[in-house]
Amino acid sequence: MIDIAVVDYGMGNLRSVSKALEHVATDKKVVVTSNPQDIAEAERVVFPGQGAMPDCVRELDSRGLREAVIAAAASKPFLGICIGLQLLFDHSEEGNADGLGIFAGQVKRFSAVDMHDVQGHKLKVPHMGWNEVYQSQSHPLWAGIENGERFYYVHSYYVAPQETALVAGYSEYPKRFTSVVAKDNIFAVQFHPEKSQHAGLKLLSNFVQWNGHS
Amino acid sequence: MALAKRIIPCLDVTAGRVVKGINFLELRDAGDPVEIARRYDEQGADELTFLDITASSDNRGLILNIIEQVASQVFIPLTVGGGVREVEDVRRLLNAGADKVSINTSAVLNPQLVADASGHFGSQCIVVAIDAKQVGDHWEVFTHGGRNATGIDAIEWAKKMVALGAGELLVTSMDRDGTKVGFNLALNRAISDAVDVPIIASGGAGNLVHLVEGVQEGGADAVLAASIFHYGEYTVRQAKEYMRECGIEVRL
């Protein structure tokens, strides 16, 4: 029996994600897998991802994982991370790629032109580093995490959900952008909990204990 | 409130030990890499950078082993550089637990490596390290740990690397490295203004004022330092508290 399946579609460093999950769930079996059967059987699923969205979609399909991911997202505790959040949406500006369409909305790029902080300094893209995450709804995965806690980000694109009810957290760069969405058994984050020290491990620990109901 | 400026302790590793030199020479031992990484993590370091400074084939296995050990205990971003020559080297380091890989000499010898590596693994994990030295009225790129002049202008090089897919630039002033007289602020500012990606200032930090200057005057998004932390002069936390007092956004 697999407790936690980390979906491997060849994009990015999944070792960090699995190490962090093993660290918070020493008694659970964590498997990094590209086998749809493992994903179907797992009690809970983590959907990470790095790199360019069109490549991610292509790799996901070439491994025959699309249906398994959609089925998991419909039925069991499901944590999307970074591109794993963006892929849940209809469409991305990055390479004009279609996502899985689980949520309605677009994935948009930070415009490096004309982005300045309050002191007038140029803001860089990618948005890289530790930023404050504000919780816009209460959720079991926020348990023990302070509102405004910093998490580690590295991304150039962000999600713009059509339904504001999906938004569970946001950050500012310099404008507010959605960085966490939640609905039923799905919780998905733009930042990297596996690289966000104590706060990140706390969120992962909450996830491995979550029953999938908000 | 906003994105925090980062403090990145740098661990120069050779033969399985952390060392620190002056102007890239005169190495002295600073301790065990895993122990030091854990200490900086506890102190609140925002990331860690490991530079495999000899990067011989013997050392290659050692650094992978060190990264594996650190990555299973320390949950902040890890960058590894030194001796990265091909896409396969990048893959090995990422698989060992590195989050970003820093490319220096090989980017000069083969700029296509930066494009291939960022195309494969994403710009977010490709850092290009630029070792620059003042030559006449401009800054020139040097390679091989500072031994070889390239004739390439550092600012033009920075723009080219970003165009090829570098997600971040680690800018080291070789004139300042290990001297503790402060970052080369003009160099950092010039590169920071020339590109859109984040810049890490490196080389020369000797006290906390230097870190503040690196951000406020050098326009750096992150500051990298080694000696001031390795020998216990300051903790990362003290550095961050001082930066905050100076009005810089930090993670505390």
Side-chain angles (χ1 to χ4, degrees):
Chain A
M1 175 69 193
I2 297 169
D3 294 307
I4 306 165
V6 179
V7 183
D8 178 10
Y9 50 100
M11 297 302 290
N13 171 11
L14 304 184
R15 194 184 171 90
S16 293
V17 177
S18 63
K19 283 280 167 204
L21 287 164
E22 284 162 14
H23 190 82
V24 298
T26 45
D27 56 336
K28 306 271 187 195
K29 187 175 177 198
V30 180
V31 175
V32 175
T33 181
S34 41
N35 181 347
Q37 195 63 34
D38 288 346
I39 296 165
E41 284 171 11
E43 187 192 26
R44 59 194 71 233
V45 169
V46 177
F47 187 43
Q50 285 178 345
M53 178 124 151
D55 297 343
C56 289
V57 176
R58 196 185 57 235
E59 295 297 322
L60 198 64
D61 281 336
S62 77
R63 286 168 174 76
L65 290 167
R66 177 187 288 256
E67 295 313 317
V69 169
I70 291 173
S75 60
K76 55 183 109 190
F78 184 97
L79 177 65
I81 298 174
C82 194
I83 304 286
L85 158 70
Q86 297 179 6
L87 278 167
L88 302 180
F89 284 79
D90 285 333
H91 183 264
S92 175
E93 284 181 4
E94 186 174 20
N96 192 25
D98 283 334
L100 300 180
I102 292 168
F103 295 135
Q106 299 290 316
V107 183
K108 299 179 173 178
R109 193 176 205 281
F110 288 116
S111 151
V113 185
D114 250 13
M115 278 182 33
H116 296 89
D117 65 13
V118 284
Q119 288 145 343
H121 299 128
K122 180 166 85 167
L123 292 176
K124 306 299 184 67
V125 178
H127 171 231
M128 185 187 288
W130 300 78
N131 205 339
E132 286 162 320
V133 176
Y134 298 100
Q135 302 165 11
S136 39
Q137 52 173 276
S138 64
H139 194 283
L141 264 63
W142 289 135
I145 298 171
E146 248 180 80
N147 192 16
E149 182 62 77
R150 287 183 190 274
F151 286 83
Y152 186 83
Y153 283 98
V154 50
H155 64 125
S156 300
Y157 293 80
Y158 61 94
V159 297
Q162 230 166 62
E163 255 185 86
T164 49
L166 286 179
V167 182
Y170 64 90
S171 291
E172 291 167 354
Y173 195 67
K175 288 186 227 154
R176 176 188 293 209
F177 68 92
T178 297
S179 62
V180 186
V181 301
K183 190 179 187 189
D184 304 329
N185 56 304
I186 301 176
F187 195 86
V189 298
Q190 180 61 60
F191 51 77
H192 289 270
E194 76 281 12
K195 287 287 143 186
S196 296
Q197 218 206 11
H198 303 309
L201 294 176
K202 179 65 183 159
L203 191 141
L204 292 177
S205 161
N206 290 340
F207 174 70
V208 301
Q209 291 163 43
W210 182 38
N211 64 8
H213 299 290
S214 45
Chain B
M1 300 307 268
L3 184 66
K5 300 295 180 186
R6 291 169 280 152
I7 291 190
I8 309 177
C10 179
L11 289 69
D12 288 351
V13 178
T14 187
R17 298 287 290 177
V18 176
V19 296
K20 186 59 207 162
I22 297 172
N23 294 115
F24 286 44
L25 299 165
E26 294 176 50
L27 301 178
R28 75 170 157 143
D29 189 80
D32 173 65
V34 180
E35 230 169 78
I36 294 178
R38 288 173 65 163
R39 183 166 78 226
Y40 292 148
D41 176 47
E42 280 161 21
Q43 291 176 5
D46 295 307
E47 295 184 21
L48 295 173
T49 290
F50 296 80
L51 293 179
D52 186 353
I53 59 166
T54 44
S56 66
S57 51
D58 295 353
N59 243 14
R60 183 42 41 93
L62 273 176
I63 194 90
L64 289 174
N65 187 275
I66 290 166
I67 297 307
E68 278 181 19
Q69 287 183 59
V70 173
S72 60
Q73 301 171 38
V74 169
F75 298 99
I76 58 175
L78 308 175
T79 302
V80 186
V84 176
R85 293 183 185 88
E86 45 188 279
V87 168
E88 198 46 41
D89 293 329
V90 177
R91 185 192 310 277
R92 270 195 291 272
L93 288 167
L94 294 177
N95 285 342
D99 300 287
K100 307 184 211 177
V101 169
S102 167
I103 304 176
N104 188 341
T105 298
S106 300
V108 176
L109 300 178
N110 174 22
Q112 185 60 29
L113 173 63
V114 173
D116 291 346
S118 62
H120 254 83
F121 305 108
S123 289
Q124 84 288 338
C125 67
I126 303 302
V127 181
V128 169
I130 302 177
D131 290 345
K133 201 188 264 187
Q134 180 122 27
V135 174
D137 62 350
H138 73 294
W139 295 285
E140 188 176 324
V141 176
F142 278 67
T143 61
H144 296 88
R147 289 188 290 275
N148 298 2
T150 63
I152 300 169
D153 178 79
I155 312 297
E156 293 309 311
W157 183 242
K159 290 187 202 165
K160 180 174 176 182
M161 289 298 99
V162 171
L164 285 179
E168 192 173 33
L169 300 176
L170 168 58
V171 180
T172 302
S173 160
M174 291 178 37
D175 305 297
R176 305 294 178 91
D177 191 63
T179 61
K180 307 184 117 190
V181 297
F183 296 120
N184 187 327
L185 302 174
L187 169 67
N188 276 296
R189 171 57 73 183
I191 293 183
S192 186
D193 286 348
V195 298
D196 289 329
V197 304
I199 301 297
I200 307 167
S202 156
N207 59 44
L208 302 185
V209 174
H210 293 153
L211 302 183
V212 169
E213 288 172 349
V215 170
Q216 291 182 335
E217 292 169 46
D221 302 281
V223 288
L224 181 136
S227 2
I228 64 167
F229 299 130
H230 291 344
Y231 302 112
E233 285 167 66
Y234 305 100
T235 63
V236 175
R237 187 166 183 91
Q238 283 172 325
K240 287 187 159 184
E241 281 166 355
Y242 182 72
M243 286 168 79
R244 175 174 278 182
E245 279 170 34
C246 296
I248 296 173
E249 186 99 23
V250 291
R251 176 179 72 108
L252 267 174

